Amino acid sequence: MFFMLDPKFIRNNLEAVEAMLRARNTSLDLEEFRRLDQQRRELLTRVEGLKNQRNTCSDEIARLKREKGDASQQIAAMRQVSQEIKKLDAEVAEIDSRLTALIYMIPNMPHESVPPGAGEDDNPVVKTWGERPAMAFTPKPHWELGEQLGILDFERGAKITGARFTLYRGAGARLERALINFMLDLHTGEHGYTEVLPPFIVNRTTMTGTGQLPKFADDLFKLEGLDYYLIPTAEVPVTNIYQNEILEAHELPVYFAAYTPCFRKEAGSYGKDTRGLIRQHQFNKVELVKFAAPDNSYEELEKLLANAEEVLRRLGLPYQVVNLCSGDLGFSASKTYDIEVWLPGQGVYREISSCSNFEDFQARRANIRYRPKEGGKTRYVHTLNGSGLAIGRTLVAILENYQQADGSVVIPEVLRPYMGGLEVIS
RNA sequence: GGAGAGGUGGCCGAGUCGGCUGAAGGCGCUCGCCUGCUAAGCGAGUGAGUGGGGAAACCUGCUCCGAGGGUUCGAAUCCCUCCCUCUCCGCCA
């Protein structure tokens, strides 16, 4: 049986959990949890008593048989007991599955440093970096630039597949690939991450481990006739690398960097960001994933954020960092920083990275533990992840921030070696 | 896709005609002894989950031998379904 929040924690902190649900604008009644949990414990006491009786008596029967004695009386008695056990076991299983379904719907507890708030307008900006480029002309949105330069073909993307799919060509395709390589090289070469290339299709258990299922099934592409799904982010396969494993304390923290495409249905965002690359059903991302000991996971979150920020600094892209408030925090996260990059073509800051500490929420579901140095019981690790960064949106930011009056786009210096020396796309 | 073999504790590896095996034996690891140091040697300990008792050391119930069902008083051991691994054949980037 998997849980997200510890059922014991819920049991002992019902008021706190209910307060958390309100802060997250979630309507969920814990009365049923209280009732089922109580019932389950009562049943368990009874059925375990009976099992104990059966075990003891089975030994007795075995002994009698060995000594050629008569055990028919005990066998008859145990037949009754076994019937009863079977019945009670079924009742427990029924309650368990209802309880699990319920607990799976409860989001994570926010960290104490998460500000209260109703939604994204209440997220405090904790940092801004870089100079917004001064332009003596009216900056264009990236879709215009991309089409005029012949590097982004939205129409043909839509023809090949449908809306929210894009065909990159020439320098556009290469720029996308350059960004992937640049980011991976930076994180593996300078930030201590190990590169992994995971499967892009995962099974149900894996999706459940990181919290995408059962709650967010609507946003996932599922393969027909199979219990397999296209990943919506590398977080899913990479976090599940250690699913059902026990790590040694000296192995922590573990840092992974992974490039993968990401597939999202974007259900419920029909009117939003219909133009351009901002919201696609398929996009590329370099993801950073960490497994850390609980006592320093928040330091690891700060480092993770700094690693993601470094990408934007080297690319010379202005950004701000916001601390997501309680009402905007994702389902599985205890704390999340969003990095938002400046897009002059649209005159807004747009999310380009999301760095989160999930504490033991995912680890509990995916059953990822470690053995503490000082010995004693195994504990759940803390998992963290962050985009480092979303590739498509980075390309958008480059086009819009580095555009020239004539519609050409200068390539940031750090990318030129990856572009075969190309300095300007024109 | 076809034929066969197999999935046991951190690892390797026993489990007889179903009962005394949560699991022999070995390796590894931990602690202690021994040793000038190292190696070797000797002794003890060493799975996980969940519940009860105790201030604690610790004692104790239940569950777990790929997963899920079934047979049985009782299953790692028998039956069924599924998953995975390996070998051979076919097909294929």
Side-chain angles (χ1 to χ4, degrees):
Chain A
M1 188 163 171
F2 294 112
F3 297 102
M4 33 174 51
L5 276 180
D6 186 352
K8 207 187 303 175
F9 174 85
I10 302 174
R11 191 182 302 141
N12 297 333
N13 300 276
L14 265 173
E15 301 75 29
V17 174
E18 280 170 333
M20 174 273 284
L21 291 173
R22 280 194 298 276
R24 277 173 168 280
N25 305 322
T26 312
S27 62
L28 198 70
D29 189 8
L30 291 185
E31 202 39 54
E32 196 188 355
F33 171 87
R34 207 191 304 259
R35 218 190 65 243
L36 288 173
D37 187 54
Q38 174 70 22
Q39 255 180 43
R40 177 170 179 276
R41 285 155 65 81
E42 283 166 12
L43 278 173
L44 237 33
T45 310
R46 276 171 63 199
V47 75
E48 284 186 5
L50 289 175
K51 282 179 178 174
N52 180 228
Q53 197 181 330
R54 183 179 69 183
N55 289 344
T56 318
C57 196
S58 283
D59 287 348
E60 175 74 7
I61 292 168
R63 214 202 71 235
L64 283 171
K65 291 237 171 176
R66 242 177 294 127
E67 294 166 357
K68 311 281 189 231
D70 176 28
S72 54
Q73 209 175 334
Q74 281 82 348
I75 290 176
M78 280 312 102
R79 194 166 297 166
Q80 300 281 320
V81 172
S82 275
Q83 288 298 322
E84 183 67 11
I85 289 174
K86 194 172 279 189
K87 206 186 97 212
L88 292 178
D89 267 346
E91 284 179 41
V92 171
E94 165 65 18
I95 289 180
D96 269 356
S97 68
R98 284 163 65 188
L99 218 38
T100 306
L102 192 72
I103 290 175
Y104 271 165
M105 293 298 158
I106 302 177
N108 201 356
M109 299 291 287
H111 186 251
E112 59 191 15
S113 65
V114 169
E120 61 180 321
D121 297 336
D122 300 321
N123 298 335
V125 174
V126 297
K127 183 189 296 183
T128 59
W129 183 92
E131 296 275 316
R132 300 185 194 176
M135 291 174 182
F137 54 93
T138 308
K140 293 176 182 162
H142 69 278
W143 55 84
E144 284 181 23
L145 292 161
E147 277 172 344
Q148 281 160 16
L149 293 167
I151 59 174
L152 296 178
D153 190 336
F154 298 104
E155 252 176 63
R156 289 203 177 91
K159 178 171 72 177
I160 295 166
T161 308
R164 296 197 195 283
F165 286 90
T166 301
L167 172 70
Y168 291 63
R169 39 196 315 165
R174 180 144 192 193
L175 183 54
E176 183 91 357
R177 179 161 58 90
L179 284 167
I180 294 167
N181 286 332
F182 164 66
M183 291 183 199
L184 282 174
D185 286 351
L186 174 63
H187 296 309
T188 59
E190 299 185 40
H191 295 155
Y193 291 78
T194 301
E195 182 172 350
V196 289
L197 182 62
F200 303 157
I201 297 174
V202 300
N203 62 33
R204 167 179 296 272
T205 305
T206 295
M207 277 297 181
T208 307
T210 29
Q212 278 72 25
L213 285 177
K215 200 166 177 207
F216 302 103
D218 287 351
D219 211 38
L220 298 173
F221 286 103
K222 184 175 192 300
L223 300 202
E224 190 172 349
L226 293 168
D227 216 10
Y228 287 173
Y229 300 81
L230 297 185
I231 56 169
T233 158
E235 162 193 348
V236 175
V238 177
T239 303
N240 279 283
I241 286 174
Y242 292 128
Q243 172 193 117
N244 289 321
E245 291 191 35
I246 301 174
L247 303 173
E248 296 301 329
H250 66 80
E251 295 178 83
L252 299 176
V254 179
Y255 289 13
F256 286 131
Y259 153 73
T260 70
C262 304
F263 304 93
R264 298 184 184 177
K265 278 196 179 167
E266 297 295 348
S269 62
Y270 294 115
K272 268 193 232 165
D273 308 311
T274 50
R275 307 205 64 181
L277 282 181
I278 292 295
R279 197 173 295 274
Q280 299 275 291
H281 287 308
Q282 173 192 319
F283 62 96
N284 294 308
K285 184 153 60 75
V286 167
E287 184 77 0
L288 305 175
V289 175
K290 289 187 178 187
F291 301 84
D295 48 298
N296 64 3
S297 66
Y298 280 93
E299 291 161 42
E300 292 293 346
L301 177 62
E302 297 300 323
K303 286 200 240 170
L304 179 64
L305 174 66
N307 295 154
E309 284 180 51
E310 185 61 23
V311 178
L312 290 169
R313 292 184 183 215
R314 298 215 184 178
L315 291 172
L317 295 169
Y319 66 88
Q320 64 180 23
V321 177
V322 301
N323 181 2
L324 297 198
C325 70
S326 58
D328 198 29
L329 197 63
F331 181 79
S332 307
S334 282
K335 178 170 185 173
T336 298
Y337 289 114
D338 273 5
I339 304 178
E340 301 178 336
V341 70
W342 174 246
L343 297 182
Q346 297 157 66
V348 293
Y349 280 102
R350 283 308 295 248
E351 176 190 339
I352 197 166
S353 173
S354 198
C355 300
S356 304
N357 186 355
F358 302 91
E359 297 196 5
D360 66 4
F361 188 86
Q362 293 180 328
R364 190 180 302 281
R365 295 178 69 138
N367 195 221
I368 306 169
R369 291 166 293 169
Y370 78 104
R371 230 178 286 282
K373 240 190 233 73
E374 59 281 8
K377 288 178 74 70
T378 55
R379 299 181 61 188
Y380 290 107
V381 302
H382 281 190
T383 62
L384 301 88
N385 69 56
S387 349
L389 311 160
I391 304 294
R393 288 188 180 184
T394 306
L395 187 137
V396 165
I398 289 172
L399 295 186
E400 296 199 6
N401 281 280
Y402 282 89
Q403 63 180 297
Q404 308 298 303
D406 63 359
S408 65
V409 173
V410 172
I411 299 191
E413 271 189 53
V414 290
L415 291 179
R416 291 179 193 169
Y418 293 94
M419 294 292 291
L422 190 67
E423 293 176 13
V424 183
I425 303 175
S426 54

